[in-house]
Amino acid sequence: MRAHVSRSVLIGIQRIFADAAPREACGLLFGAPDRITDWQAVENVAEEPERRFEIEPGALFAALRAERAGGPKIVGYWHSHPSGDATPSVTDAAMAQPDGKLWLIVAQGARRYGGQGIGARCTAASRRWS
């Protein structure tokens, strides 16, 4: 499954994860299953934020309530890999739920999007990591 990610989304996320390093940054993705049009940064409440991410539950519940009230549709989640590799880790693969949500992993890397030196990988959690 492919999903178009707008350049403004990638640039915004890149700024957040650069500021968060060496901790992983994380958040929510909004749009449609094939198109990510907006994003939200959320506090990483993991016990080891340098190695893991956990989306702050209150922010997730607020976004779900807003969605039910007609707000933007949550299509997935994003997090950063400060190590510089956007490849899903063993933990990422184990944590991905088969709910069809997209997972976007961003990292400093060789690929370039909109002039930004960031690598990104987006996959449906219901499928094997590619």
Side-chain angles (χ1 to χ4, degrees), residues 10-46:
L10 287 174
I11 291 169
I13 290 173
Q14 190 265 345
R15 288 182 181 138
I16 296 298
F17 88 72
D19 289 344
R23 298 175 321 276
E24 290 193 13
C26 61
L28 306 172
L29 301 170
F30 302 96
D34 65 342
R35 183 168 298 274
I36 299 169
T37 57
D38 204 2
W39 64 284
Q40 176 184 344
V42 175
E43 181 183 0
N44 179 355
V45 297

Side-chain angles (χ1 to χ4, degrees), residues 1-3 33-34 100 102 122-124 127:
M1 169 187 260
R2 290 190 171 265
D34 65 342
L102 299 173
C122 188
T123 187
R127 300 196 177 216

Side-chain angles (χ1 to χ4, degrees), residues 65-127:
R65 282 191 299 273
E67 178 182 84
R68 279 184 289 212
K73 179 176 176 50
I74 301 169
V75 295
Y77 316 100
W78 68 269
H79 75 282
S80 64
H81 280 181
S83 66
D85 185 0
T87 302
S89 68
V90 172
T91 302
D92 292 333
M95 301 266 315
Q97 297 296 311
D99 61 1
K101 298 284 191 213
L102 299 173
W103 278 44
L104 175 69
I105 301 171
V106 292
Q108 292 292 357
R111 282 188 168 175
R112 299 188 74 71
Y113 292 92
Q116 300 298 311
I118 60 175
R121 176 171 268 180
C122 188
T123 187
S126 62
R127 300 196 177 216

